[in-house]
Amino acid sequence: MLLEFSVSNFRSIKDTQTLSFLATAMNEHEKTNVFQATDKVRLLKSTAIYGANGSGKSNLLMAMWAMVSFIKAPVEDKKKFEEHIQPFKLNTFTRNEGSFFQIMFILEGKTYRYGFVYLKGKIISEWLFGTANKNEVEFFTRDKQKVFINKERFKEGIGLETKTREDNLFLNLVFELNGKIACVIKDYLCEIFILQGLDEEILQSFSYNLIQNKANKHRLLEILKLADLDIYDIGIDEDYDQKTKKIISQRKIFDENGQEVGLETLDFDIEASAGTKKMFIYAGVFVHLLKSGGTIIIDEFDTKLHTSLTKAIVKLFNSEKNKTAQLCFITHNTNLLDNDLLRRDQIYFAEKNQRGETSIYSLNEIKGLRNDSSLEKDYIKGKYGAVPFIRNLNSIFE
């Protein structure tokens, strides 16, 4: 379960910015939008991020993607991430410093804090802390090539202190040698779904599996019907090239009197709308997360989706049916700024100052808000910041 993610010196993010799933003391939507992670920790089931174009909100997501991808990838593939992990270049000091990444999460009732600093293909520092007897203790820390291990808490790292390459993570080294804690942590981090553009396509396997799962296929259909009520059934064309899974859908046929007379099979890729195809990509992983728990983070969440559909998905995550799944999404859909849908601590904004620096802040940090405030209207009016300044475009014709 994700507690928070922090990053600094990454693209437009200069100073440390944090996205948190920790629920505050407010009691709104307590039964639906919040779950009890441990005896003392309550977590949010969803967070929304708003901001003007170019404000840096996607850079926050890109930082999470970069961190998780660097943990996932073999050493020989890490060079392809170098173009994405860029420092803040609009400051003479930070442009030559490392990028900081840190994530906090809960696994099996224990809280972990893991992070590293990356600079030009090298790991400058790395650390892992975890709870022991309710207090945070060091598991290991790293300063360039020097690794310091708590021999009581991280026994699996003993003897490996001098064997880490400068371009690899110590966590990965211990994982490769089947270190128990390292395996649990890396497996969790690699299962965080981060969707950016074409990256969505990798999730279709979850929906493919649901099509062939008789016990759970109805859940896939129910989510698809949010986007297209006319879909009666969905399947895979078994006669098509087995290397390329071809999706087909079935729809009812009616005669001139409006009476149902049968079913028509259609090519899903050709006949389905862009929104229905996007829902197919989402549907399988949504079902997986809502059943098993986990975290999904989506950029441009509302692209190709009707505003009522996006609201329905957020309601699905913010429901008593959802036990531990977490959704974070970037959106421009102001209809979701609704007191009946989201708590103030679930709403984040991204804003860029005159020096090109992105700041991330929660609506809950803004003082003086009334409980009955119209969040959508006030945001559009600029009361919370994070809105674009639109000049008169007629001037381009003068």
Side-chain angles (χ1 to χ4, degrees), residues 68 72 188-195 202-203 206 285 288-289 293-298 326 328:
V68 172
K72 283 183 179 181
Y188 166 76
L189 294 176
C190 290
E191 288 177 2
I192 296 176
F193 298 100
I194 303 174
L195 309 191
I202 65 175
L203 297 183
F206 287 93
V285 73
H288 168 74
L289 291 172
T295 304
I296 185 167
I297 300 164
I298 306 175
Q326 295 172 292
C328 173

Side-chain angles (χ1 to χ4, degrees), residues 195 197-207 220 224 268 274-286 296:
L195 309 191
L198 295 176
D199 291 346
E200 297 174 348
E201 295 178 3
I202 65 175
L203 297 183
Q204 292 191 79
S205 60
F206 287 93
S207 294
L220 173 67
L224 285 179
F268 187 79
T276 305
K277 291 175 185 176
K278 187 166 186 177
M279 281 306 299
F280 177 76
I281 293 171
Y282 286 169
V285 73
F286 284 170
I296 185 167

Side-chain angles (χ1 to χ4, degrees), residues 13 49 62 78 86 114 126 131 134 137 148 157 159 170 185 203 221 226 228 231 264 286 304 319 356 376 385:
I13 300 173
I49 305 174
M62 174 65 80
K78 292 196 185 324
Q86 296 293 331
Y114 173 72
E126 185 182 0
T131 53
K134 299 183 179 180
V137 296
F148 307 92
F170 185 65
I185 289 175
L203 297 183
L221 280 171
L226 290 173
D228 189 343
I231 291 180
E264 177 68 24
F286 284 170
K304 301 178 183 178
S319 70
E376 181 179 18

